[in-house]
Amino acid sequence: MTDSRASQASPSPTPTATATATAPSESGQTEIDPTTADRVLKTKHRAMWASGDYPTLAADLIWSLGPVLVDAVGVHPGDRVLDVAAGSGNAAIPAALRGGSVVASDLAPELFDAGRRRAQEAGAELEWREADAEALPFDDAAFDATVSCVGVMFAPHHRRAAGELLRVTRPGGRIGVLSWTPEGFIGQMFKTMKPFAAPLPEGAEPAPLWGDEQHVRELLGTDVEELEARRQSVTIDHFASPEAFRDYFKRNYGPTIAVYGRIADDPDQVRALDDALVELARSHGLRTTGDALQWEYLLVTARRA
């Protein structure tokens, strides 16, 4: 890919030599069994999202996006709802409060304790299930609505993940996905981190592609009807300075933590990334207390054909 979408890359752990290997290939290089490689990759992804404090970040910055998604999908009392890559439940909990019978699923169950506490405080009842977005442990057509709020976009194999969203949604059911756009602030943050990050594993795609309407239309294809996509933004006024933004993400956000971990032994690289993240925030209007950032996202809703 050589268009603007190709420049966006999400930092992603890659399989390492610790994976079980098969016999050497004809080229003389040892090959890693694809199933084993995928398992190693998912283990690293789980560890990445469990690092830092994503539940605090979600509560501080983007909790309002969950209700936006739930409203757009139109969750009604009695609906069977699946939140894919739910994190600590910023879409799942509002869906449960609307009367849905909700399952919050995520690859990193370490995030669930915070979600359970939040749900209890809100008076919401729902089920929490560990699940890989690319291999969901649910029956075909099991849900009336399937949603994901800046979650499924981080599954490395987009077509597998999209196929699972479709598979578990009943015909006539609704699908809703909210994702950061490549051109928006978070998409540009991933672009900023890309030179410092590990290369994406073979077959993986950059997360912000889920924020490109054409890409999502291609993923869902003719299996959906009434697809609507609109770009919106959330206002972030949490940070007093560009440096405060950078340091917050270094502490709390798994993908940022992973990139800094990769370059930790190179002070020049660390300094360069520090400066790049500060400049990113400054270029988007954050200079002092009271300044706000606008984080653009793509909201896609569709009906299962």
Side-chain angles (χ1 to χ4, degrees), residues 7 32 40 45 59 68 99 108 150 191 195 197 225 230 244 290:
S7 66
I32 297 176
V40 171
H45 267 262
V68 168
V150 294
K191 183 179 180 180
E225 302 169 338
R230 58 183 184 271

Coordinates of all heavy atoms in Angstrom, one line a residue, residues 7 32 40 45 59 68 99 108 150 191 195 197 225 230 244 290:
S7 N 0.7 4.8 5.5 CA 1.7 5.4 6.4 C 1.3 5.3 7.9 O 2.1 5.6 8.8 CB 1.8 6.9 6.1 OG 0.5 7.6 6.4
I32 N 8.4 -20.7 11.5 CA 7.5 -20.8 12.7 C 6.1 -21.2 12.3 O 5.6 -20.6 11.3 CB 7.5 -19.4 13.4 CG1 8.9 -19.1 13.9 CG2 6.5 -19.5 14.6 CD1 8.9 -17.7 14.6
V40 N 1.7 -16.7 20.0 CA 2.7 -15.8 20.6 C 2.3 -14.4 20.4 O 2.5 -13.5 21.3 CB 4.1 -16.1 20.0 CG1 5.1 -15.1 20.4 CG2 4.5 -17.5 20.3
H45 N 0.1 -9.2 22.6 CA -0.9 -8.2 22.6 C -1.6 -8.1 23.9 O -1.9 -7.0 24.4 CB -1.9 -8.5 21.5 CG -1.6 -7.8 20.2 ND1 -2.2 -6.7 19.8 CD2 -0.7 -8.2 19.2 CE1 -1.7 -6.3 18.6 NE2 -0.8 -7.2 18.2
A59 N -11.5 6.0 31.3 CA -12.4 6.7 32.2 C -12.1 8.2 32.1 O -13.0 9.1 32.0 CB -12.3 6.3 33.6
V68 N -22.1 7.1 22.8 CA -22.3 7.6 21.4 C -22.5 6.3 20.5 O -23.4 6.3 19.7 CB -21.1 8.4 20.9 CG1 -21.1 8.6 19.4 CG2 -21.0 9.7 21.6
G99 N -30.8 -1.8 29.1 CA -31.6 -3.0 29.2 C -31.2 -4.1 28.3 O -31.8 -5.1 28.2
A108 N -7.7 -9.2 26.9 CA -7.0 -9.0 28.1 C -7.9 -8.9 29.3 O -8.4 -7.8 29.6 CB -6.2 -7.7 28.0
V150 N -13.3 1.7 19.7 CA -11.8 1.7 19.6 C -11.2 0.5 20.2 O -10.2 0.5 21.0 CB -11.2 3.0 20.2 CG1 -11.7 4.2 19.4 CG2 -11.6 3.2 21.7
K191 N 1.3 7.2 13.7 CA 2.3 7.6 12.7 C 3.6 8.1 13.3 O 4.7 7.8 12.8 CB 1.7 8.6 11.7 CG 2.6 9.0 10.6 CD 1.9 9.9 9.6 CE 2.8 10.3 8.5 NZ 2.1 11.3 7.5
P195 N 8.2 5.1 13.4 CA 9.7 4.9 13.2 C 10.4 4.2 14.4 O 11.5 3.7 14.2 CB 10.2 6.3 13.0 CG 9.0 7.1 12.5 CD 7.9 6.5 13.3
A197 N 8.8 1.9 16.4 CA 8.1 0.7 16.8 C 8.6 -0.5 16.0 O 9.2 -0.4 15.0 CB 6.6 0.9 16.5
E225 N -26.1 -4.4 5.1 CA -26.9 -3.4 4.4 C -27.0 -2.1 5.2 O -26.6 -2.1 6.4 CB -28.3 -4.0 4.2 CG -28.4 -5.3 3.5 CD -29.8 -5.9 3.5 OE1 -30.5 -5.6 4.5 OE2 -30.1 -6.8 2.6
R230 N -19.8 8.1 9.5 CA -19.6 9.5 9.7 C -18.4 9.8 10.6 O -18.2 9.0 11.5 CB -20.9 10.1 10.2 CG -21.4 9.6 11.5 CD -22.7 10.3 11.9 NE -23.2 9.9 13.2 CZ -24.1 8.9 13.3 NH1 -24.4 8.1 12.3 NH2 -24.5 8.6 14.6
A244 N 2.6 17.1 29.5 CA 1.7 16.3 30.3 C 1.0 15.2 29.5 O 0.8 14.1 30.0 CB 0.7 17.2 31.0
G290 N -6.3 24.5 29.7 CA -7.5 25.1 29.1 C -7.6 24.8 27.6 O -8.6 24.9 27.0

